[in-house]
Amino acid sequence: EADDQLQLHVPRPLLFSENGRGESGKFKCHVKTYQYIACCRSEEAPKEALGVEWQIYMHDLFYLATADRPWKKGNDVDLSDDAQITTFRGHRLYPNHP
C-alpha cells in the first residue's frame, strides 16, 4: 500500500507494562511529544548577512504511545500490526498535569 513503511526490526524494543490493562504482558511503546521548530531571520545580523536563528517551542504534555497487543519474542513473535505498531496514546507521562 502507498502508506506502508519499511523499518529495521528492533530485537529488544522498549516495553511498557501496566496492571489492569485487560491483557497481561509488556507492550511496545514510544514517547510522543509535540514541537514547533522555526527558522527566522536574526534581527541582530546585518541586512547583507544571512543571519538566522532557530527557535523551538515544546508542548509540556507527553504521551506514551503503546501497541494494542503484548509484544512476544522468540518463536512466539507476533508480527501483526496490533503488536508491532505503537499508536495508542492513552498514557500521559504526567497524569496530574492540568
Side-chain angles (χ1 to χ4, degrees):
E1 294 185 31
D3 62 346
D4 283 350
Q5 295 181 11
L6 181 63
Q7 297 177 330
L8 292 175
H9 175 70
V10 178
R12 294 178 55 209
L14 180 62
L15 300 176
F16 171 76
S17 177
E18 178 183 55
N19 293 332
R21 182 156 179 222
E23 293 182 53
S24 62
K26 295 183 178 182
F27 300 78
K28 284 179 73 174
C29 64
H30 74 274
V31 175
K32 184 75 172 178
T33 64
Y34 297 92
Q35 305 91 20
Y36 172 74
I37 302 171
C39 178
C40 307
R41 180 170 178 75
S42 174
E43 295 185 20
E44 298 173 2
K47 290 186 179 188
E48 64 275 359
L50 294 176
V52 294
E53 61 184 34
W54 290 91
Q55 297 177 344
I56 182 169
Y57 302 92
M58 180 177 264
H59 199 285
D60 60 355
L61 289 178
F62 302 94
Y63 290 89
L64 190 65
T66 60
D68 292 330
R69 290 182 27 197
W71 184 82
K72 297 177 182 176
K73 63 181 178 180
N75 293 336
D76 294 332
V77 67
D78 183 354
L79 298 177
S80 70
D81 288 353
D82 289 341
Q84 298 294 326
I85 298 176
T86 57
T87 57
F88 177 65
R89 297 180 191 127
H91 309 282
R92 287 175 55 175
L93 292 184
Y94 303 104
N96 296 327
H97 191 281

Short mmCIF file of all heavy atoms in Angstrom, two decimals, residues 9-13 15 25-28 67 69-74 76-78 83-84:
data_model
loop_
_atom_site.label_atom_id
_atom_site.label_comp_id
_atom_site.label_asym_id
_atom_site.label_seq_id
_atom_site.Cartn_x
_atom_site.Cartn_y
_atom_site.Cartn_z
N HIS A 9 13.95 -4.27 12.11
CA HIS A 9 13.38 -4.93 13.29
C HIS A 9 14.28 -4.64 14.49
O HIS A 9 15.49 -4.76 14.41
CB HIS A 9 13.28 -6.44 13.05
CG HIS A 9 12.83 -7.18 14.27
ND1 HIS A 9 11.55 -7.07 14.77
CD2 HIS A 9 13.48 -8.02 15.10
CE1 HIS A 9 11.44 -7.83 15.85
NE2 HIS A 9 12.60 -8.41 16.06
N VAL A 10 13.69 -4.24 15.60
CA VAL A 10 14.43 -3.99 16.83
C VAL A 10 14.26 -5.23 17.71
O VAL A 10 13.16 -5.51 18.18
CB VAL A 10 13.89 -2.73 17.56
CG1 VAL A 10 14.63 -2.51 18.86
CG2 VAL A 10 14.00 -1.53 16.65
N PRO A 11 15.34 -5.99 17.93
CA PRO A 11 15.20 -7.25 18.66
C PRO A 11 14.85 -7.06 20.14
O PRO A 11 14.25 -7.94 20.73
CB PRO A 11 16.56 -7.93 18.50
CG PRO A 11 17.50 -6.84 18.13
CD PRO A 11 16.70 -5.78 17.44
N ARG A 12 15.21 -5.94 20.74
CA ARG A 12 14.88 -5.68 22.15
C ARG A 12 14.23 -4.31 22.26
O ARG A 12 14.86 -3.35 22.68
CB ARG A 12 16.15 -5.74 23.00
CG ARG A 12 16.76 -7.14 23.04
CD ARG A 12 18.04 -7.19 23.85
NE ARG A 12 17.80 -6.66 25.18
CZ ARG A 12 18.74 -6.06 25.91
NH1 ARG A 12 19.95 -5.91 25.46
NH2 ARG A 12 18.46 -5.60 27.12
N PRO A 13 12.95 -4.17 21.89
CA PRO A 13 12.30 -2.86 21.90
C PRO A 13 12.01 -2.38 23.32
O PRO A 13 11.99 -3.15 24.28
CB PRO A 13 11.00 -3.12 21.14
CG PRO A 13 10.71 -4.55 21.41
CD PRO A 13 12.05 -5.22 21.46
N LEU A 15 9.75 -1.60 26.21
CA LEU A 15 8.48 -2.23 26.57
C LEU A 15 7.87 -1.55 27.79
O LEU A 15 8.57 -1.09 28.68
CB LEU A 15 8.67 -3.72 26.86
CG LEU A 15 9.22 -4.56 25.70
CD1 LEU A 15 9.46 -5.99 26.17
CD2 LEU A 15 8.27 -4.53 24.52
N GLY A 25 1.08 -8.64 30.15
CA GLY A 25 2.22 -8.64 29.26
C GLY A 25 2.85 -7.28 29.14
O GLY A 25 2.47 -6.32 29.81
N LYS A 26 3.85 -7.21 28.28
CA LYS A 26 4.57 -5.97 28.04
C LYS A 26 4.31 -5.53 26.61
O LYS A 26 4.26 -6.34 25.70
CB LYS A 26 6.05 -6.16 28.30
CG LYS A 26 6.35 -6.47 29.76
CD LYS A 26 7.82 -6.59 30.01
CE LYS A 26 8.06 -6.86 31.49
NZ LYS A 26 9.48 -6.94 31.78
N PHE A 27 4.16 -4.22 26.42
CA PHE A 27 3.75 -3.66 25.15
C PHE A 27 4.86 -2.78 24.57
O PHE A 27 5.51 -2.03 25.30
CB PHE A 27 2.49 -2.81 25.33
CG PHE A 27 1.32 -3.60 25.87
CD1 PHE A 27 1.22 -3.91 27.20
CD2 PHE A 27 0.33 -4.02 25.00
CE1 PHE A 27 0.16 -4.64 27.69
CE2 PHE A 27 -0.75 -4.75 25.48
CZ PHE A 27 -0.84 -5.06 26.82
N LYS A 28 5.05 -2.86 23.25
CA LYS A 28 5.97 -1.95 22.58
C LYS A 28 5.46 -0.53 22.77
O LYS A 28 4.25 -0.31 22.81
CB LYS A 28 6.08 -2.26 21.09
CG LYS A 28 6.90 -3.49 20.78
CD LYS A 28 6.96 -3.76 19.30
CE LYS A 28 7.86 -2.78 18.61
NZ LYS A 28 8.06 -3.12 17.17
N ALA A 67 1.42 -0.21 21.75
CA ALA A 67 0.74 -1.13 20.84
C ALA A 67 -0.51 -1.67 21.53
O ALA A 67 -0.65 -1.61 22.75
CB ALA A 67 1.67 -2.28 20.47
N ARG A 69 -1.57 -4.90 21.48
CA ARG A 69 -1.37 -6.25 22.00
C ARG A 69 0.04 -6.41 22.53
O ARG A 69 0.96 -5.74 22.07
CB ARG A 69 -1.64 -7.27 20.90
CG ARG A 69 -3.12 -7.30 20.55
CD ARG A 69 -3.55 -8.29 19.52
NE ARG A 69 -2.77 -9.48 19.35
CZ ARG A 69 -2.85 -10.24 18.27
NH1 ARG A 69 -3.67 -9.92 17.29
NH2 ARG A 69 -2.13 -11.32 18.17
N PRO A 70 0.25 -7.32 23.49
CA PRO A 70 1.58 -7.51 24.07
C PRO A 70 2.60 -7.98 23.03
O PRO A 70 2.27 -8.66 22.07
CB PRO A 70 1.38 -8.60 25.13
CG PRO A 70 -0.07 -8.66 25.36
CD PRO A 70 -0.75 -8.18 24.13
N TRP A 71 3.84 -7.59 23.26
CA TRP A 71 4.95 -7.98 22.40
C TRP A 71 5.50 -9.32 22.89
O TRP A 71 5.62 -9.54 24.10
CB TRP A 71 6.05 -6.91 22.46
CG TRP A 71 7.19 -7.16 21.56
CD1 TRP A 71 7.26 -6.88 20.23
CD2 TRP A 71 8.45 -7.74 21.90
NE1 TRP A 71 8.48 -7.23 19.73
CE2 TRP A 71 9.23 -7.77 20.74
CE3 TRP A 71 8.99 -8.24 23.08
CZ2 TRP A 71 10.51 -8.27 20.71
CZ3 TRP A 71 10.27 -8.73 23.05
CH2 TRP A 71 11.02 -8.76 21.88
N LYS A 72 5.80 -10.20 21.96
CA LYS A 72 6.36 -11.51 22.30
C LYS A 72 7.65 -11.70 21.53
O LYS A 72 7.79 -11.24 20.41
CB LYS A 72 5.38 -12.62 21.97
CG LYS A 72 4.10 -12.54 22.76
CD LYS A 72 3.12 -13.62 22.35
CE LYS A 72 1.83 -13.48 23.12
NZ LYS A 72 0.82 -14.44 22.69
N LYS A 73 8.59 -12.41 22.15
CA LYS A 73 9.87 -12.64 21.48
C LYS A 73 10.05 -14.13 21.21
O LYS A 73 9.24 -14.95 21.61
CB LYS A 73 11.02 -12.13 22.34
CG LYS A 73 11.16 -12.82 23.68
CD LYS A 73 12.30 -12.24 24.47
CE LYS A 73 12.40 -12.90 25.83
NZ LYS A 73 13.49 -12.38 26.61
N GLY A 74 11.11 -14.43 20.49
CA GLY A 74 11.43 -15.82 20.19
C GLY A 74 10.52 -16.41 19.12
O GLY A 74 10.09 -15.74 18.20
N ASP A 76 7.49 -17.23 19.44
CA ASP A 76 6.11 -16.78 19.60
C ASP A 76 5.90 -15.34 19.11
O ASP A 76 4.89 -14.73 19.41
CB ASP A 76 5.70 -16.85 21.07
CG ASP A 76 5.65 -18.27 21.59
OD1 ASP A 76 5.40 -19.18 20.78
OD2 ASP A 76 5.87 -18.46 22.79
N VAL A 77 6.85 -14.81 18.37
CA VAL A 77 6.78 -13.40 17.94
C VAL A 77 5.48 -13.14 17.17
O VAL A 77 5.05 -13.95 16.37
CB VAL A 77 8.02 -12.99 17.11
CG1 VAL A 77 8.06 -13.70 15.78
CG2 VAL A 77 8.04 -11.50 16.92
N ASP A 78 4.84 -12.03 17.51
CA ASP A 78 3.59 -11.62 16.87
C ASP A 78 3.91 -10.48 15.92
O ASP A 78 4.29 -9.39 16.36
CB ASP A 78 2.60 -11.18 17.95
CG ASP A 78 1.24 -10.80 17.39
OD1 ASP A 78 1.08 -10.77 16.15
OD2 ASP A 78 0.34 -10.53 18.20
N ALA A 83 0.43 -5.72 17.51
CA ALA A 83 1.55 -5.93 18.43
C ALA A 83 2.77 -5.10 18.06
O ALA A 83 3.62 -4.86 18.91
CB ALA A 83 1.93 -7.41 18.45
N GLN A 84 2.88 -4.66 16.82
CA GLN A 84 4.10 -4.00 16.36
C GLN A 84 3.98 -2.48 16.24
O GLN A 84 4.97 -1.77 16.34
CB GLN A 84 4.51 -4.58 15.00
CG GLN A 84 4.86 -6.05 15.03
CD GLN A 84 6.10 -6.34 15.85
OE1 GLN A 84 7.03 -5.56 15.87
NE2 GLN A 84 6.11 -7.47 16.53
#
